Amino acid sequence: MVEYDTPRWSLRGAEALMPTVANGIVLDWNVARARGENLELELHATSSLVLRLLGYANHANMGSYAEAIHAFRAGQDPTPNIEAHRRQGRIKYGIGASVEYTMPTGVRLFARTGWNSGDTESFAYTEVNNTAAIGGDVAGARWHRPVDRAGVAFVSNGLSAPHREYLQFGGLGFLLGDGNLRYGRETILESYYTAHLWRGVFASAGAQFIANPGYNRDRGPIVAQMARVHLDF
């Protein structure tokens, strides 16, 4: 990774290894055929307002949803199978943007959005083709806990048309696959509280309300609880 910083803006570029299979832990060390290229521009409009713009392109042995659907319709595959239609050198590209604003009162607000190309197989992190999120948190100075923070966020995730159709016909991804899909955007409302316990020790608790988990209107809604301990050295 290479980074260049000035008082008003920063530019970062990174070349990363890609997994050999979707979301796998084994990495492909042949960067001539498989790699992730990332570029981020960070702008400090003021001391309290930060804008970040991201672009990336992943090169890997990825499948095509369109090819998997075509083979299924032609009778070549009993169900759409993305793994049978992988090809080395495919490119999945995407963009993202985020803005963060910090108020003098200790309140922080953020908004983020992202999009990636929808026909190439989801390959790293999770199965999302477009997303938007808003939220914020507040420092605990008002209740005499200045290092604590309480926050809330709302997220809406979606799939591309080829990705949805692949799942509707019974295809499987590395996270998704119900044999059918009554599609709906996956929406999440999350709240959390982070408490400073001692020196570099922090504890967090929170909950997520998830509607249409896995983009399936026949599932959920569900509530997921969270507890976490964070150590700083």
Side-chain angles (χ1 to χ4, degrees), residues 3-169:
E3 179 172 347
Y4 182 80
D5 296 304
T6 77
R8 297 298 300 273
W9 59 272
S10 300
L11 185 65
R12 304 176 185 95
E15 197 80 9
L17 299 178
M18 291 291 291
T20 56
V21 297
N23 217 33
I25 61 173
V26 178
L27 301 178
D28 189 339
W29 288 82
N30 187 340
V31 295
R33 69 182 181 189
R35 61 195 180 276
E37 297 159 340
N38 304 267
L39 185 65
E40 182 183 63
L41 174 64
E42 179 177 307
L43 302 172
H44 292 258
T46 67
S47 59
S48 57
L49 181 62
V50 180
L51 173 66
R52 296 182 180 91
L53 302 173
L54 172 71
Y56 71 89
N58 293 335
H59 307 250
N61 185 30
M62 294 180 282
S64 163
Y65 293 116
E67 289 185 10
I69 293 168
H70 176 76
F72 166 70
R73 286 177 165 165
Q76 299 173 19
D77 299 327
T79 58
N81 183 2
I82 195 76
E83 295 183 16
H85 299 278
R86 287 176 173 162
R87 190 177 73 236
Q88 195 67 254
R90 276 208 170 96
I91 302 175
K92 188 173 187 68
Y93 53 90
I95 56 175
S98 73
V99 60
E100 297 177 9
Y101 180 66
T102 303
M103 299 180 183
T105 57
V107 175
R108 298 185 301 190
L109 303 174
F110 79 89
R112 295 172 186 159
T113 187
W115 172 91
N116 61 59
S117 50
D119 182 54
T120 308
E121 176 184 12
S122 292
F123 210 72
Y125 176 55
T126 193
E127 296 196 51
V128 175
N129 294 119
N130 56 80
T131 184
I134 58 172
D137 65 5
V138 58
R142 299 179 183 182
W143 52 93
H144 310 293
R145 299 275 303 178
V147 186
D148 291 8
R149 301 202 76 89
V152 63
F154 174 80
V155 184
S156 176
N157 297 323
L159 298 179
S160 66
H163 199 163
R164 295 198 302 264
E165 189 175 16
Y166 173 79
L167 295 171
Q168 287 166 355
F169 287 139

Side-chain angles (χ1 to χ4, degrees), residues 151-215:
V152 63
F154 174 80
V155 184
S156 176
N157 297 323
L159 298 179
S160 66
H163 199 163
R164 295 198 302 264
E165 189 175 16
Y166 173 79
L167 295 171
Q168 287 166 355
F169 287 139
L172 299 177
F174 62 80
L175 286 177
L176 301 177
D178 286 313
N180 197 353
L181 182 69
R182 197 161 69 94
Y183 176 75
R185 291 189 68 86
E186 184 180 72
T187 56
I188 304 168
L189 179 64
E190 178 178 357
S191 62
Y192 68 89
Y193 188 92
T194 299
H196 179 226
L197 302 182
W198 176 76
R199 293 190 177 179
V201 182
F202 298 81
S204 300
Q208 291 183 339
F209 175 85
I210 307 172
N212 304 330
Y215 311 96

